[in-house]
Amino acid sequence: MIESLLPFFEWCEGTGLGQLVRTSLWLFPVIESVHLLGLSALGGTVLLVDLRMLGAGLTRQSLSSVATAVHPWLVASVALLMLSGISLFLSEAVKCFYNPSFWVKMATLPVALLYTFTVRRRVAMNPRRDTSPLTRLVAAVSLLLWFTVAAAGRWIGYSS
Amino acid sequence: MSILTALEWLARTRWSIALHESQYMWPLLETTHVLCLTLFVGTTAMLDLRLLGVAMTRVPASEFTERVLPWTRAGFAVMIITGGLLFSATPVTYYQSLFFRLKMILLAMAGLNVWLFHSRIHQHIGVWDLAPIPPRAARVAAVVSLVAWAGVVVAGRLVAYNWFACDLQPQSAFVNWASGCVLPPP
């Protein structure tokens, strides 16, 4: 089943952007650096909310106010990571295709995104869930999901 | 004994060779180092954005420096420990890496900025704690922090690229000088 996706990955590598990044000496490292800056920013926004849900960090603010204030920065970080990540992927799509860590990341990333913008957001915006065992559980799952995405992402570089 | 000879000795130790050649220890340390960016740089950046008056302006600045800073410090401690261990795996290579040296300079600048902020600007936080836009000095410290730490991250990532390595001659005279390359006599 997965094998049938190979032509798509080959097409990705042939795109103009993919070729541009691959043939340039500087572009890949520079975009990688931007991707890391995006990771830092996303980490800050995710952690401030998850810590608050776990009863740490900005505990003098309501959970919903922390989540609301952080939200635009969360969206911006995700956008920066997507743009840089897709550029990196296009330049070495076929290599990614044969990389187990890439598939772990691709399996967990949509789950983490969907979870953050649905389940976690709903709980964070519910005043009655400001502190509760469920709130803590939701934060713990968020940390686990994003940890897996980030660790698998770093591991793409080792498991080629 | 020069720094270089000390690091050459370190590189010959059993510890350094074992870490350098390890299959999993090195990647695990580096992954920890990279993932801690979220805790350290991520929370630092949020404080900086608050100090700039562009994010979370309804949260008192002191709540960041009292409630979030311990987490930032913990992240920094892990970065220093894992970074130091990674350095000990190939100390001479890092010492003579242009990007590593740049990273250390930026790190020193960022550290000086942290010291200036906490020894001067933060002293009077009570005056502007609730202000959506903190005073100019705090905003300047925030910009310096964002630029310096971003520079540390970028230079750190580029350490992995050996474009300017001493063992890949010829390099320009500037690179050889800035990287501290020891060239064989002509």
Side-chain angles (χ1 to χ4, degrees):
Chain A
M1 209 287 257
I2 290 276
E3 279 298 317
S4 63
L5 289 172
L6 185 56
F8 170 71
F9 281 68
E10 285 166 346
W11 173 83
C12 285
E13 231 182 80
T15 55
L17 184 58
Q19 290 184 355
L20 181 73
V21 176
R22 186 168 57 256
T23 51
S24 157
L25 178 68
W26 283 90
L27 269 179
F28 193 91
V30 167
I31 301 171
E32 245 182 343
S33 302
V34 172
H35 201 61
L36 273 183
L37 294 175
L39 166 81
S40 310
L42 177 72
T45 58
V46 166
L47 282 170
L48 280 188
V49 176
D50 282 345
L51 283 174
R52 173 61 184 78
M53 292 177 102
L54 290 167
L58 300 170
T59 43
R60 290 173 208 152
Q61 311 294 316
S62 73
L63 171 57
S64 61
S65 71
V66 173
T68 306
V70 153
H71 196 71
W73 299 93
L74 172 74
V75 174
S77 309
V78 169
L80 186 67
L81 281 163
M82 289 290 223
L83 283 174
S84 53
I86 289 170
S87 308
L88 294 172
F89 163 74
L90 290 176
S91 78
E92 50 169 32
V94 174
K95 199 170 133 190
C96 289
F97 181 83
Y98 293 107
N99 192 310
S101 300
F102 172 79
W103 288 105
V104 173
K105 183 172 183 179
M106 287 309 111
T108 44
L109 178 59
V111 179
L113 282 171
L114 199 66
Y115 180 82
T116 302
F117 288 101
T118 57
V119 177
R120 196 185 75 148
R121 182 154 174 79
R122 191 169 296 177
V123 171
M125 297 310 288
N126 185 346
R128 281 174 303 156
R129 288 283 176 208
D130 194 271
T131 51
S132 73
L134 177 76
T135 310
R136 287 166 186 270
L137 177 69
V138 167
V141 171
S142 165
L143 287 174
L144 187 68
L145 279 171
W146 284 115
F147 169 80
T148 312
V149 173
R154 172 59 273 202
W155 221 263
I156 291 173
Y158 303 128
S159 66
S160 51
Chain B
M1 188 165 70
S2 72
I3 298 174
L4 187 59
T5 37
L7 294 178
E8 280 168 345
W9 168 82
L10 176 60
R12 283 192 303 270
T13 58
R14 190 192 281 243
W15 158 269
S16 176
I17 294 165
L19 188 55
H20 183 197
E21 293 178 350
S22 72
Q23 192 179 354
Y24 291 113
M25 202 52 204
W26 199 89
L28 279 173
L29 280 173
E30 202 195 41
T31 303
T32 310
H33 194 67
V34 170
L35 293 199
C36 262
L37 284 176
T38 58
L39 190 57
F40 175 60
V41 180
T43 54
T44 299
M46 290 312 291
L47 167 62
D48 290 335
L49 294 174
R50 169 65 186 90
L51 291 176
L52 276 175
V54 295
M56 313 192 78
T57 44
R58 283 185 214 154
V59 180
S62 65
E63 197 166 339
F64 271 93
T65 56
E66 284 167 24
R67 302 283 310 160
V68 181
L69 204 57
W71 294 91
T72 312
R73 288 205 177 105
F76 186 69
V78 179
M79 304 264 353
I80 290 289
I81 293 166
T82 51
L85 291 173
L86 289 167
F87 178 83
S88 75
T90 46
V92 176
T93 310
Y94 287 127
Y95 179 63
Q96 294 185 324
S97 155
L98 194 62
F99 289 123
F100 184 82
R101 290 182 168 207
L102 180 63
K103 179 177 178 176
M104 289 304 113
I105 293 168
L106 290 165
L107 189 60
M109 282 169 59
L112 183 66
N113 185 57
V114 169
W115 179 76
L116 283 173
F117 175 77
H118 284 280
S119 64
R120 290 157 197 243
I121 304 160
H122 187 252
Q123 301 269 307
H124 316 289
I125 196 167
V127 181
W128 49 270
D129 198 14
L130 301 171
I133 300 181
R136 192 181 157 81
R139 282 179 282 141
V140 170
V143 171
V144 172
S145 171
L146 284 170
V147 172
W149 288 118
V152 170
V153 173
V154 174
R157 174 63 265 197
L158 295 180
V159 169
Y161 293 86
N162 65 349
W163 303 322
F164 304 119
C166 287
D167 51 5
L168 291 178
Q169 298 293 337
Q171 298 282 3
S172 72
F174 172 77
V175 168
N176 279 329
W177 169 77
S179 310
C181 298
V182 180
L183 300 175

